[in-house]
Amino acid sequence: MSEHRRKPPQPQGGGRAAARRGQSGPSSGRRAAPRGATGSPADYGLGHGAGGEEQSHGSRADGRRASQRDSGGRRRAAEPTGGRRGAPTGPGRGRGRPAPDSKRLIDYPRAGKYGWQRWMPSWKLVAGLFVGFVGSLVAVAGIGYAMVGIPDVAKTATAQNNVYYWKDGSQMVATGGETNRQNIDLSQIPEEMRWAVISQENKTFYDDSGIDPKGIARAVFNMARGGQTQGGSTITQQYVKNAMLNDQSQTISRKFKEIFVSIKVGAEVDKDQIMAGYLNSAYYGRNAYGIQAASRAYFNKDAIKLNPGECAFLAAMLKGATYYDPAGTTSVDPVGATSAANSKRARLQMQDTLDKMVEYGHLDASVRAKYTDLPKWQNPRSNTDLKGQIGYLVDLANGYLVTNSKTTGITQDLLQQGGYSIYTTFDKNKVKELEAAVTKVQKANIKPKQRPETDTHVQFGGASVEPDTGAIRAIYGGEDATKHFTDNADQTGAQVGSTFKPFVLAAAMTWGVRDPDLGSSQAQDERTIVSPKSLFSGKNKLKIENYDGSVWKNEKGEEWLQTNDGNVSLGSPPKYKIDLREAMRESVNSAFVQLGMDVGLDKVKESAVSAGLKESSLTNSGFPSFSIGISDPSAIRMAGAYGTFAASGKQRDPYSVEKVTSEKGQIFTHETKTKQAFTAKVADNVTDVLKTVVEKGTGTNAQLPGREVAGKTGTTDGNKSAWFVGYTPQLSTAVTMFRYDDDESNKNRTFLEMFGTGGQEKIHGASFPAQIWHDYMAEALKGTKAKDFPEPQPIGEVVNAEPSPTPTPSATETEEESPSPSATPSETEVEPSPSASETCSNFFDCQDNSAGTTNGNENGGTGEITPTPTATESDGNSRGNGNGGFFGGPGG
C-alpha cells in the first residue's frame, strides 16, 4: 500500500484540516462514518476524524460510496480532501460545477454550464418559447376576432358642426355637420363604377381575403415609429375604415382593431355587399358621402346615369378631393391645389383608370376612346349658410388649420368630423366695410349688360392685415362664395405689377448695388448701399445692362428694351436721369428694372420673401422684368408684406385663427412669431418713399385726411390686372382688380384685357382699386387715433450722382428705337399736362391735385424677351413731370 495511505494520525484539532473544520463553526458538524468502519485512521487514510474517532482502513472512493449508501442515495456535500472546499461531489460531476436546481421550471441561465455556454439557451427552451409565442398570438387573434363585430355602414358619415366665431366672440356660422348622403343598392350603381374602383384600387378584390399583410405591416411600422399613418390597402379595409368613423384615432391599437374587423368582414360578408358598402360610405369631396351624393354634387344626376368617363372621374376623387377636385381647394393649399393643378391631376388619374379597365378586360377599348377629357362638372357649393363672404372666411380658417396641422393638430379628416369651436381673427365690421366699398364701385361703374365686351367677368379681391400681429381682419373673396368659388383674396393668379417695386428698393437699401469695376465674385462683397436720392435712367425703351455695363441678352442673343407705361421717358434729357423717390412716385419701370439688375435679382427675390411673400408665388428671377411685378402673390400676402414696412421691418405671417377648442378643452392657440426682415432704417425709408406716392404721385386717390398713408399703385402689361396696396401704422390693405373667365369648366381660362372696362380707356391701380382702398380704410379706421410713421434715418449713398441740368418736362418719344438711350429735345414733342377734367373719369370726383395729377408709368414689360440680373449707368438727376395725367399716359 502506498506510503500516503500510511500517514500517522494527526493530533486532534491540529493541522490545516482541523483549522478548516474550526472555521466552519459549530454548526458544520461531521459526516457520519460509513457502515463497517472501525474508526481506524486506516479506513480513510486521514488519521483521526474530527471527533477523535478512529477510522477503518480503505480508499476514499470506498468511503464516498459507503456514505452514499448510508444516506439512501441522496447527494450530500462531502468534506473536501484534496479539492476545493465546497466543491460538489457525486458521480460524473466535474470539479467546481454547480449542481442543477431541480426546482426551476426554466433552466436558464443553464446549470452545469460555464462561460458563454451558461447563457446560451437550449433548443428545448427555444422551441418551447416559440410554441408559447405562437400560441399566444393565436389566442389573442381568436379573442380579437370574437370581440369585434361587423360594422353597420348606415352609421357612417356622421359629423358634428364646427362653430366659427368673429374676432369679438360673436358667432359667425355653424357648419360642417351636414350629411350629404343617400345609400343606394348595388343594382343602382353602374357596373363601370365598380370596375373603375377595382381596377385602380384593388384588382384582386373578388379573390383576396380582405387584407393585405404587407400593407398592414408597413402601416403599423410607420405608426410605431411616429411616421405618417396609412389607410387600408384593399377595398375591404377601406370599407372598414369608412365604417369606423366614430373611432379615427391614429393608434396601433385602433389599427389592430381595424385588421380584425377586416378579416371578419372578408370571411363573413359577401363581396358585392362590401363593394356597395364601400361606394356608399366613401368620401368624394364637396361634403358628399357615397356615390349617389357624389354624382349629384359633381354632375347633378343620379348615380345610375353615370357614364364610364364620369365613373373614372369619381374614382379619382376617392384618392383625395383636395388635390383632385377640378374646382380647386386653394383654401387648403393655395399653390398646390389650384383649379389648374387639380384638373391636370384628375385628368391623368381618370385616364389611367380607364386604361386599366381596358387592360383588365372590364371596358371595351372602343368605349374607352370616347372619354379623353374631364367630364363637365358643376357648382361645388350648396350650403346657403356660406353665401356672401362667409364661405371665403370659413375656407380661409379651415385652410389655415389644415395647412398648419403639425402645429394645430387638426387634419382634414378631423376637421371633417367636426366638433370644434374656431375663433377667427376676422372683424365683422371690417369685412362688411370692405364688401361695401367693392360693391359701391362695382355697381357704379361695371355694366356688363351695357358693355358686354369689356365689363363681363370683372373680379375684385382684397385683404386687410394688422401689421403688429399679422392677424387678417378682413377679406373680399368675390361676389358670393356659393357662386364664385375661387377666393380672390387668397388665390388669384393676377400679376402685381408695380406694387412689387418697393421690394426692389428695400433690396437696394439692404444689400446695395454691385461695383461694375469688380469681378462677379468680388462684386458680391463690395457693394454700395443705395440712398433714395440715387439716380437711374427714366428713359423709355431703355436698353437694360448687366451690373458691369455689358448689355443684357437672352439665350438667343436678343437685347431687352424696357418700356414705361404710356411709352414716355421721365427725367432730364438727354439721359433722362431720375432719383428713386421720384421714380417710385411716377412708377418708372426703366429705373427699377435697371436698379434690380445692379442689385441682383436674387437679392430682389430674397427681399420679397423676407417681407412675407411666398417663394412659390414668385416667377423666375432670371429676367429683368422680375423687378416690375410679373409674379402673382395673393392679396393677403401683399397686405402682409407691406405690413412689414409698416412695422419698421418686423415680419409676421398673416393668420386667420386665434384659437380652437372642443369638448376636450383648448386644442390650439396661435402664437405670433416675429422676424426682423429689414432693419428699421431700411423699412422706414421705404415707407417714406411710398408716402410720396400717395401725397403727390400715382396714389393720390388713396389719401386719408388727417392720416399718414404709404402705398403703391400697380398696373400690368396688357392691362390685365390693377392693384393698390397701402398702409397706415395700424392697418395694411391690398386691393386687386382683373378680368377672369369664371366658367370653372373652361379648360383654357385666361386673364382678359381691361381696356374700356368701366367706361375707362385703361384701368390703373390708381383708379378703381385705389378708390376701393380709400373708401374701405376711411370706414375701417373710424374711431382709431391717427398715428404717424417713424421718422426715417438717413441711409446709403447717392449712386450715379453728377451735376444735372435744370429739370424739364418729360417728353413723349416719337422716334424709332435706336441703340442710344438718349433723346434730344428736337427728337421729342413736349406735351402740356392735362387739366383736372381730362384726368378724371366718370367715377372720380374731379379735383385739382396740382402736383398729383401727373401720370405714373406702370409695368409695360415689353421687350424682345424676358431676362436676368444686370446693371446700367445713368446720368441726369431731374424728374420729368409726366405727359398725361391720369389717362393721357396710362399709369398706376
Side-chain angles (χ1 to χ4, degrees), residues 17-32 50 76-79 85:
R20 285 195 297 269
R21 287 193 296 273
Q23 290 171 358
S24 65
S27 63
S28 56
R30 187 181 63 184
R31 190 183 63 176
R76 303 287 299 273
E79 182 179 343
R85 184 172 65 89

Side-chain angles (χ1 to χ4, degrees), residues 268-606:
E268 300 183 17
V269 180
D270 180 76
K271 288 288 187 179
D272 283 345
Q273 186 178 341
I274 294 173
M275 174 59 70
Y278 173 60
L279 294 176
N280 276 320
S281 62
Y283 183 65
Y284 296 79
R286 301 192 179 186
N287 202 41
Y289 292 88
I291 184 65
Q292 175 67 10
S295 182
R296 282 291 176 185
Y298 287 93
F299 306 117
N300 195 27
K301 64 168 70 172
D302 289 331
I304 191 64
K305 297 180 180 179
L306 293 171
N307 63 43
E310 292 166 339
C311 289
F313 172 90
L314 291 179
M317 297 304 106
L318 293 174
K319 293 185 70 66
T322 297
Y323 290 99
Y324 287 88
D325 185 345
T329 51
T330 53
S331 61
V332 176
D333 187 346
V335 177
T338 62
S339 176
N342 282 13
S343 295
K344 182 178 180 180
R345 274 189 290 266
R347 183 183 180 280
L348 290 174
Q349 184 69 15
M350 170 187 164
Q351 296 304 307
D352 182 62
T353 299
L354 290 169
D355 289 341
K356 287 180 178 177
M357 291 172 70
V358 173
E359 179 184 350
Y360 301 145
H362 305 315
L363 184 66
D364 187 85
S366 61
V367 177
R368 184 262 178 271
K370 298 177 182 178
Y371 306 103
T372 59
D373 210 339
L374 291 177
K376 186 174 177 62
W377 41 273
Q378 64 159 13
N379 179 350
R381 287 190 188 274
S382 58
N383 187 345
T384 56
D385 290 337
L386 300 177
K387 63 185 178 181
Q389 299 305 304
I390 299 299
Y392 302 124
L393 298 173
V394 168
D395 282 350
L396 194 60
N398 290 346
Y400 175 79
L401 294 174
V402 174
T403 302
N404 298 284
S405 60
K406 289 185 178 179
T407 302
T408 65
I410 300 175
T411 64
Q412 184 69 46
D413 285 344
L414 292 173
L415 188 66
Q416 177 185 316
Q417 293 172 51
Y420 295 109
S421 294
I422 300 169
Y423 294 83
T424 73
T425 62
F426 307 131
D427 185 308
K428 178 167 48 179
N429 292 329
K430 287 183 173 61
V431 170
K432 291 180 179 178
E433 288 155 359
L434 182 54
E435 184 176 28
V438 173
T439 302
K440 174 184 174 183
V441 167
Q442 195 169 29
K443 287 185 175 180
N445 300 278
I446 308 303
K447 310 288 185 182
K449 292 183 179 179
Q450 296 178 18
R451 296 182 290 267
E453 296 299 318
T454 59
D455 286 18
T456 53
H457 307 303
V458 174
Q459 296 289 334
F460 293 93
S464 198
V465 174
E466 194 173 80
D468 287 342
T469 63
I472 302 171
R473 295 307 182 199
I475 65 167
Y476 181 84
E479 186 176 355
D480 189 334
T482 64
K483 298 175 181 178
H484 172 74
F485 318 123
T486 302
D487 184 352
N488 293 343
D490 194 34
Q491 180 66 28
T492 64
Q495 294 181 355
V496 295
S498 292
T499 57
F500 198 80
K501 289 173 182 173
F503 306 124
V504 184
L505 181 60
M509 291 179 175
T510 300
W511 290 283
V513 295
R514 293 169 288 184
D515 189 332
D517 297 325
L518 299 177
S520 58
S521 59
Q522 189 179 357
Q524 291 292 341
D525 300 324
E526 299 293 331
R527 291 171 172 267
T528 302
I529 300 300
V530 172
S531 162
K533 296 179 181 179
S534 297
L535 302 174
F536 284 82
S537 176
K539 184 180 185 301
N540 185 47
K541 295 184 180 179
L542 178 68
K543 186 178 295 184
I544 298 302
E545 300 176 351
N546 295 302
Y547 82 93
D548 60 3
S550 62
V551 175
W552 185 92
K553 295 181 180 180
N554 66 7
E555 66 279 0
K556 297 180 180 179
E558 299 166 321
E559 298 178 352
W560 182 267
L561 303 176
Q562 181 58 54
T563 63
N564 292 325
D565 195 25
N567 284 311
V568 294
S569 295
L570 285 90
S572 179
K575 295 187 177 181
Y576 295 98
K577 285 225 174 166
I578 187 171
D579 71 49
L580 292 177
R581 181 182 297 275
E582 297 305 314
M584 185 74 78
R585 182 179 85 83
E586 299 297 336
S587 201
V588 181
N589 291 335
S590 55
F592 280 95
V593 169
Q594 190 58 64
L595 175 62
M597 300 298 281
D598 292 354
V599 174
L601 297 186
D602 58 331
K603 296 301 183 185
V604 173
K605 183 174 185 178
E606 187 175 343

